[in-house]
Each structure stands twice: as C-alpha cells, then as structure tokens.
Amino acid sequence: MASKVRAIPAYTAKDYPHIRQLPGADDMPATWEEWHAAFEAAKTERLRRREFTHAKVLIRPGKFKGWLDDNSLSALEHTRQLYAQELLDTKLARDGKRTARWSEC
C-alpha cells in the first residue's frame, strides 16, 4: 500500500512578502531567501533518506487568504500545511495519482 503523499507548502519570491503579511504568518522566516534555504535543506535531507512521499505545493496569497477567510483561520504554520495538503489531495484525486516526488501543484 502506498504512503500518503505529504504536502510541503512553497512560495515564490514575489508572493512571499504577501504571505508574511497575513495574520498569523509571523512565524515564517523574515525573508524568502531564508525560507528557501531552509526549504532546500529539508528537501535535500528527505531525498538523502529516500523519502519520496512529499510534494511541493505552491501557495498563492490571494487564494490562500480567501481560504483563510472562508474558514475563519489565520496563516499559522499548521494552517499553511493544512491548506497545502488540501490542494494536493484535490489534485491527486483529480489526477488519480497515489505518489508524487517533489512535484508542484
């Protein structure tokens, strides 16, 4: 049986400041460069351990803010993860896929 694919929230350099402005997102690194370095280090470690059940999910600030508002949530780390997982699960269900390898949604 295949493992559930875990979403890893990701952001573009252009979108990062907008995500950080959302209420609750003050737990994120101050700059996209800091976030990206940590993201790449975690990716490298997962690949080294041969953990291929993760997928990079690009978070867009406008859609994310709408989802937060619709669900009365703030942009905490847990909430960003939950949103990314929801996007990924929807994509995988639509595509009929069971696994992903650091793909973008």
Side-chain angles (χ1 to χ4, degrees):
M1 183 164 123
S3 299
K4 178 176 171 95
V5 179
R6 182 169 179 245
I8 306 296
Y11 318 94
T12 66
K14 180 181 175 184
D15 289 343
Y16 192 80
H18 301 290
I19 298 286
R20 283 219 61 233
Q21 290 175 353
L22 296 172
D26 54 343
D27 62 344
M28 298 175 77
T31 67
W32 179 85
E33 290 78 12
E34 291 174 68
W35 169 82
H36 191 256
F39 177 87
E40 288 298 321
K43 176 182 169 182
T44 299
E45 180 59 22
R46 284 186 186 95
L47 291 174
R48 185 189 67 75
R49 289 186 281 173
R50 304 187 57 77
E51 294 178 4
F52 299 120
T53 56
H54 295 78
K56 175 179 155 181
V57 178
L58 194 59
I59 305 300
R60 296 293 186 186
K63 291 180 180 182
F64 182 45
K65 183 178 182 330
W67 182 85
L68 291 171
D69 292 346
D70 288 348
N71 292 285
S72 301
L73 297 169
S74 60
L76 301 169
E77 180 179 5
H78 171 77
T79 310
R80 296 188 304 268
Q81 174 63 44
L82 185 66
Y83 176 70
Q85 192 66 54
E86 190 174 296
L87 291 177
L88 178 61
D89 290 347
T90 299
K91 179 180 180 0
L92 293 176
R94 183 179 62 235
D95 294 349
K97 294 180 182 175
R98 297 278 182 225
T99 60
R101 292 178 185 234
W102 284 97
S103 61
E104 274 191 40
C105 291

